[in-house]
């Protein structure tokens, strides 16, 4: 059995199988709905049910309050139709978003590489090509672990039958622990993708600033490689932050890119360099490196931020103090189910991002 869901104001029609969420059905049929976390904690995918019956699913009470439930609001990532529906969504699709439909794939592990003391590079061969936009992510299904785990794609879209993921070991994280300790070359994992609305606005001619921390380098790496391969002539700046030198992974690769492409500038920063690092680069946090490089003036640029919430918040503050505003700041904030209520407390200024 399936149900028909009409999405207003676009009038798009989607078919939702029994037990399937509205969001999953929409993404698989190429219908864009706003979303972020995908597991009911951030409220980005909140929609209004105008007609029909729906099970709200496992929506967090922080993301979907009782009053909102009474008003007929649901989270598309959790909501399961119980009849045909008409919903209203806050849809604002960027012209640069390509909107590839989500599909299922089988991914065979071809290599596992230690990138830093806590980050592994995992490389896959897909059973078929996956069209995706640089900056998007995939969901992995892991043996014996409930739910899926999301990881950003680090390779450019030109390598669309391969997959490179940078997996940071999360303390007590079942998924990342399994990937670090049990995954073997030759293993085959089910994945789905592409997901996400983190992508370069290629139609905007402004120079581009990337700010990345931790394994947040994945998306910027894909985006930068995509721009450089396409012969983009804008000035591209990557600020990468880490605590000490061992955690500053991909440094040689990125410096080689900077040597090869005169319009790409790589600026690494260490906030706690060790004595044995003999570090002569910028000392401080990554947003401070950007402030120092641009003398606190960021106007005339597009900025893309990727990393943990603390880094994202600091970078937003620095950029806005330097005269860069919402329309030119885009982010991929790492959101997990453990973040809970905190994900619902983002500034209203960035409710669309």
């Amino acid at each position: 059995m399936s149900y028909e869901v009409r999405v207003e104001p676009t009038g798009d029609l989607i078919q939702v199988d029994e037990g399937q969420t509205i969001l999953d059905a929409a993404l698989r049929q190429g219908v864009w709905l706003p979303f972020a976390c995908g597991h009911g904690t951030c409220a980005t995918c909140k929609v209004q049910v105008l007609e029909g019956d729906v099970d709200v699913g496992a929506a967090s009470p922080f993301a979907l309050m009782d009053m909102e439930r009474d008003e007929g609001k649901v989270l598309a990532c959790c909501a399961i139709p119980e009849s045909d529906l008409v919903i209203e969504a806050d849809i604002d699709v960027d012209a640069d978003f390509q909107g590839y439909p989500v599909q299922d794939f089988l991914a065979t592990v071809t290599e596992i590489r230690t990138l830093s003391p806590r980050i592994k590079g995992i490389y896959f061969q897909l059973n078929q090509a996956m069209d995706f936009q640089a900056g998007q992510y995939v969901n992995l299904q892991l043996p014996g672990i409930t739910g899926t785990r999301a990881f950003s794609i680090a390779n450019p879209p030109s390598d669309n039958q391969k997959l490179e993921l940078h997996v940071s070991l999360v303390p007590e994280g079942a998924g990342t622990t399994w990937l670090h300790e049990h995954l073997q070359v030759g293993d085959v994992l089910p994945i789905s993708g592409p997901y996400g609305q983190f992508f370069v606005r290629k139609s905007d001619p402004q120079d581009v600033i990337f700010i990345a921390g931790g394994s947040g380098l994945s998306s910027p790496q894909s985006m930068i490689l995509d721009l450089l391969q396409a012969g983009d002539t804008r000035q591209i700046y990557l600020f990468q932050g880490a605590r000490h030198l061992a955690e500053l992974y991909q440094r040689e690769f990125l410096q080689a890119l900077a040597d090869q492409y005169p319009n790409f500038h790589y600026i690494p920063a260490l906030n706690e360099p060790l004595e044995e690092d003999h570090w002569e680069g910028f000392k401080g946090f990554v947003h401070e490196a950007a402030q120092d490089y641009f003398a606190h003036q960021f106007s005339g640029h597009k900025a893309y931020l990727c990393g943990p919430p603390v880094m994202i918040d600091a970078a937003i503050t620095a950029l806005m103090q330097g005269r860069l505003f919402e329309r030119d700041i885009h982010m991929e904030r790492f959101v997990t189910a453990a973040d809970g209520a905190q994900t619902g407390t983002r500034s209203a200024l960035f409710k669309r991002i």
Side-chain angles (χ1 to χ4, degrees), residues 125-191:
Q125 181 74 28
L126 300 177
N127 64 319
Q128 60 180 339
M130 178 176 66
D131 292 326
F132 67 93
Q133 205 162 353
Q136 292 191 293
Y137 68 90
V138 294
N139 280 337
L140 270 64
Q141 295 179 15
L142 306 178
I145 296 176
T146 303
T148 59
R149 298 297 186 271
F151 298 99
S152 298
I153 303 170
N155 54 289
S158 58
D159 295 331
N160 65 359
Q161 203 158 348
K162 296 180 180 179
L163 198 62
E164 175 183 343
L165 307 180
H166 301 164
V167 179
S168 179
L169 182 62
V170 177
E172 301 181 6
T176 60
T177 298
W178 188 90
L179 287 168
H180 271 249
E181 297 181 0
H182 301 289
L183 186 69
Q184 301 289 326
V185 171
D187 287 349
V188 179
L189 297 179
I191 72 161

Side-chain angles (χ1 to χ4, degrees), residues 105-247:
F105 302 85
L106 292 176
T108 302
V109 181
T110 58
E111 183 182 2
I112 301 173
R113 188 184 305 168
T114 298
L115 300 178
S116 81
R118 61 186 187 89
I119 298 176
K120 287 189 181 295
I122 303 177
Y123 303 83
F124 298 89
Q125 181 74 28
L126 300 177
N127 64 319
Q128 60 180 339
M130 178 176 66
D131 292 326
F132 67 93
Q133 205 162 353
Q136 292 191 293
Y137 68 90
V138 294
N139 280 337
L140 270 64
Q141 295 179 15
L142 306 178
I145 296 176
T146 303
T148 59
R149 298 297 186 271
F151 298 99
S152 298
I153 303 170
N155 54 289
S158 58
D159 295 331
N160 65 359
Q161 203 158 348
K162 296 180 180 179
L163 198 62
E164 175 183 343
L165 307 180
H166 301 164
V167 179
S168 179
L169 182 62
V170 177
E172 301 181 6
T176 60
T177 298
W178 188 90
L179 287 168
H180 271 249
E181 297 181 0
H182 301 289
L183 186 69
Q184 301 289 326
V185 171
D187 287 349
V188 179
L189 297 179
I191 72 161
S192 61
Y195 296 97
Q197 286 88 46
F198 188 55
F199 55 90
V200 173
R201 274 66 179 175
K202 293 184 177 181
S203 64
D204 192 313
Q206 296 181 101
D207 292 340
V208 183
I209 298 171
F210 293 96
I211 301 179
S215 59
L217 179 63
S218 304
S219 290
Q221 176 177 301
S222 176
M223 297 158 109
I224 290 166
L225 289 171
D226 185 42
L227 289 171
L228 295 176
Q229 289 177 0
D232 198 289
T233 58
R234 282 173 288 191
Q235 298 300 304
I236 303 167
Y237 304 88
L238 170 62
F239 296 88
Q240 181 191 12
R243 286 188 305 166
H244 47 76
L245 193 59
E247 293 185 349

Side-chain angles (χ1 to χ4, degrees), residues 248-327:
L248 194 68
Y249 77 101
Q250 298 289 78
R251 181 169 61 102
E252 293 83 2
F253 171 71
L254 294 167
Q255 187 57 59
L257 278 182
D259 294 339
Q260 180 180 357
Y261 295 94
N263 63 320
F264 174 55
H265 313 276
Y266 174 54
I267 305 96
L270 300 181
N271 64 291
E272 294 181 12
L274 303 176
E275 184 176 348
E276 56 266 32
D277 290 339
H278 304 293
W279 181 247
E280 297 181 356
F282 185 87
K283 296 179 182 178
F285 292 105
V286 66
H287 69 279
E288 296 172 332
Q291 288 176 310
D292 178 76
Y293 190 94
F294 285 102
H296 296 258
Q297 294 297 320
F298 298 105
S299 59
H301 294 83
K302 277 282 188 185
Y304 299 89
L305 320 177
C306 189
V310 172
M311 187 221 81
I312 294 287
D313 292 340
I316 289 171
T317 300
L319 292 168
M320 297 190 74
Q321 288 175 344
R323 306 297 294 172
L324 202 65
F325 300 107
E326 177 187 2
R327 67 180 179 274

